[in-house]
């Protein structure tokens, strides 16, 4: 059954001007910077006084908010009691709730954790621990620092969290100029300005200050190229005449997941793009990863942008 996808199309450009804006295809093995953010700027330091959020009885100083071993839990009544490792890290094993938030929705530079089965989450952690799945900046060290019981408890807790719409997908010819700041999050340049979106996905907080506070109620906006959602929909549904396969064969109706195969609907688009590149490059491995090797082998940069934009636009 066909599903309608509502997106906001910003601006109008001719075919010629769109073509002129498209950067060259990334060479094999290259990680595009929009998908793999690296810090290239910083925000002004926060005043050290305690911060608060509307509707929360909690307050935290900026130092407490940025403590990756003891993250803020602004709305503890909104979730079941969390296992210790979700809220309290130890050594290299940072608290899960720091990057993935206490809602489980996470930030684009990390990952959302909701809507997956516990078995799927455990399998990913085992792959990080063994090195079959590589994230040298964070997850390999974290996984190695966790016990099997901690992984099991965290996986079961996150599996119990319900996913909700978290990223608003907007098709646009031009996007705000941005930089990557603390925590590898992308922010809008304070002095303003616009630039062509090109063949990128630019994801920024809907409310920059709330994102810095790790507000579990404040999501993100993903700017994607004009026409990319429709292109991604066609590719996901038909396989593109043999270029890949229909995503729903494995990921289920509405791409909401099927058994221990993860959902794609509503997942952070730059996270999806990163995984597609990593599958292609061979840096995401493990038993189930082998199933993705053939479907991604022929995907171009354009295809990855389009698929990532489309799945992110779906209701989780």
């Amino acid at each position: 059954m066909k599903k309608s996808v509502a997106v906001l199309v910003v601006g109008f450009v001719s075919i010629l001007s769109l073509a002129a804006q498209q950067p060259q295809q990334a060479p094999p093995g290259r990680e595009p910077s929009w998908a793999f953010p690296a810090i290239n700027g910083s925000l002004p330091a926060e005043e050290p006084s305690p911060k608060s959020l509307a509707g929360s009885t909690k307050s935290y100083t900026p130092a407490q908010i940025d403590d990756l071993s003891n993250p803020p839990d602004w709305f503890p009544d909104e979730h079941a009691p969390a296992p210790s490792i979700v809220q309290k890290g130890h050594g290299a094993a940072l608290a899960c709730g720091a990057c993935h938030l206490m809602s489980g929705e996470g930030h684009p530079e990390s990952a959302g954790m909701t809507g997956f089965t516990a078995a799927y989450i455990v399998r990913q952690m085992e792959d990080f621990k063994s090195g079959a799945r590589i994230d040298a900046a964070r997850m390999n060290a974290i996984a190695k620092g966790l016990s099997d019981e901690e992984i099991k408890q965290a996986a079961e807790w996150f599996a119990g969290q319900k996913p909700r719409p978290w990223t608003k997908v907007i098709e646009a010819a031009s996007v705000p100029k941005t930089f990557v700041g603390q925590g590898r999050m992308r922010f809008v340049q304070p002095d303003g300005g616009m630039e062509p979106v090109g063949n990128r996905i630019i994801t920024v907080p809907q409310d920059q200050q709330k994102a810095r506070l790790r507000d579990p109620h404040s999501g993100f906006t993903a700017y994607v190229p004009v026409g990319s959602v429709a292109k991604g929909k066609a590719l996901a549904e038909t396989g593109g005449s043999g270029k890949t396969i229909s995503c729903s064969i494995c990921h289920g109706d509405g791409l909401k997941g099927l058994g221990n195969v993860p959902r794609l609907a509503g997942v952070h688009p730059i996270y999806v793009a990163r995984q597609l590149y990593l599958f292609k490059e061979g840096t995401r491995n493990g038993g189930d990863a082998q199933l993705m090797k053939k479907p991604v082998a022929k995907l171009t940069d354009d295809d990855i942008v389009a698929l990532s934009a489309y799945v992110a636009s779906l209701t989780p």
Side-chain angles (χ1 to χ4, degrees):
M1 182 176 67
K2 293 184 177 179
K3 297 177 175 61
S4 60
V5 180
V7 295
L8 175 62
V9 179
V10 180
F12 173 80
V13 291
S14 68
I15 294 175
L16 287 177
S17 64
L18 267 177
Q21 293 171 9
Q22 303 303 319
Q24 295 295 314
Q25 293 282 311
R30 179 181 174 184
E31 299 179 344
S33 60
W34 60 264
F36 296 85
I39 296 173
N40 61 6
S42 63
L43 291 166
E46 292 270 13
E47 291 293 327
S49 57
K51 310 300 178 185
S52 60
L53 282 175
S56 174
T57 61
K58 304 285 188 176
S59 65
Y60 300 95
T61 66
Q64 290 174 316
I65 291 167
D66 291 335
D67 184 350
L68 300 184
S69 290
N70 188 19
D73 189 3
W74 291 104
F75 302 98
D77 294 338
E78 293 184 358
H79 58 74
S84 177
I85 190 57
V86 173
Q87 292 185 288
K88 304 289 184 183
H90 54 79
L94 305 177
C96 308
C99 296
H100 303 292
L101 304 182
M102 294 304 295
S103 64
E105 295 298 342
H107 288 159
E109 67 278 4
S110 52
M113 298 287 283
T114 61
F116 304 127
T117 65
Y120 173 77
I121 297 171
V122 168
R123 188 164 63 243
Q124 302 317 303
M125 294 302 294
E126 290 172 345
D127 287 345
F128 280 127
K129 183 176 284 193
S130 71
R133 184 173 175 182
I134 298 173
D135 178 23
R138 280 276 193 267
M139 289 306 303
N140 294 124
I142 290 173
K144 290 176 182 178
L146 294 173
S147 69
D148 291 345
E149 182 61 24
E150 286 175 319
I151 290 173
K152 176 178 178 291
Q153 290 177 1
E156 290 176 347
W157 187 80
F158 279 116
Q161 303 281 75
K162 300 298 183 184
R164 62 177 186 265
W166 191 237
T167 302
K168 181 179 181 181
V169 175
I170 297 179
E171 292 192 343
S174 298
V175 297
K177 290 184 177 180
T178 59
F179 69 95
V180 178
Q182 296 94 322
R184 298 178 296 165
M185 186 180 293
R186 188 174 294 278
F187 298 99
V188 174
Q189 287 281 9
D191 55 357
M194 302 289 286
E195 63 184 5
V197 68
N199 194 27
R200 303 177 297 165
I201 297 175
I202 300 299
T203 303
V204 294
Q206 292 173 6
D207 186 308
Q208 183 167 291
Q209 180 60 20
K210 289 182 178 180
R212 293 184 73 180
L213 297 180
R214 303 183 191 274
D215 181 355
H217 294 167
S218 187
F220 292 81
T221 296
Y223 296 101
V224 304
V226 175
S228 59
V229 172
K231 179 180 177 180
K233 182 176 188 290
L235 189 57
E237 291 182 349
T238 69
S241 300
K243 176 176 282 190
T244 183
I245 62 172
S246 171
C247 299
S248 63
I249 292 174
C250 296
H251 294 278
D253 291 341
L255 306 186
K256 295 180 185 294
L258 185 63
N260 289 327
V261 178
R263 72 173 171 102
L264 298 177
V267 174
H268 295 297
I270 67 168
Y271 174 81
V272 174
R274 281 199 301 275
Q275 304 319 303
L276 294 176
Y277 279 113
L278 294 175
F279 283 130
K280 284 193 70 173
E281 295 167 1
T283 48
R284 179 170 175 177
N285 292 296
D288 292 345
Q290 300 308 312
L291 299 175
M292 284 297 300
K293 300 298 184 181
K294 187 174 181 180
V296 304
K298 297 179 182 178
L299 295 180
T300 65
D301 290 351
D302 289 347
D303 297 330
I304 289 175
V305 167
L307 284 169
S308 302
Y310 168 62
V311 301
S313 72
L314 298 175
T315 301

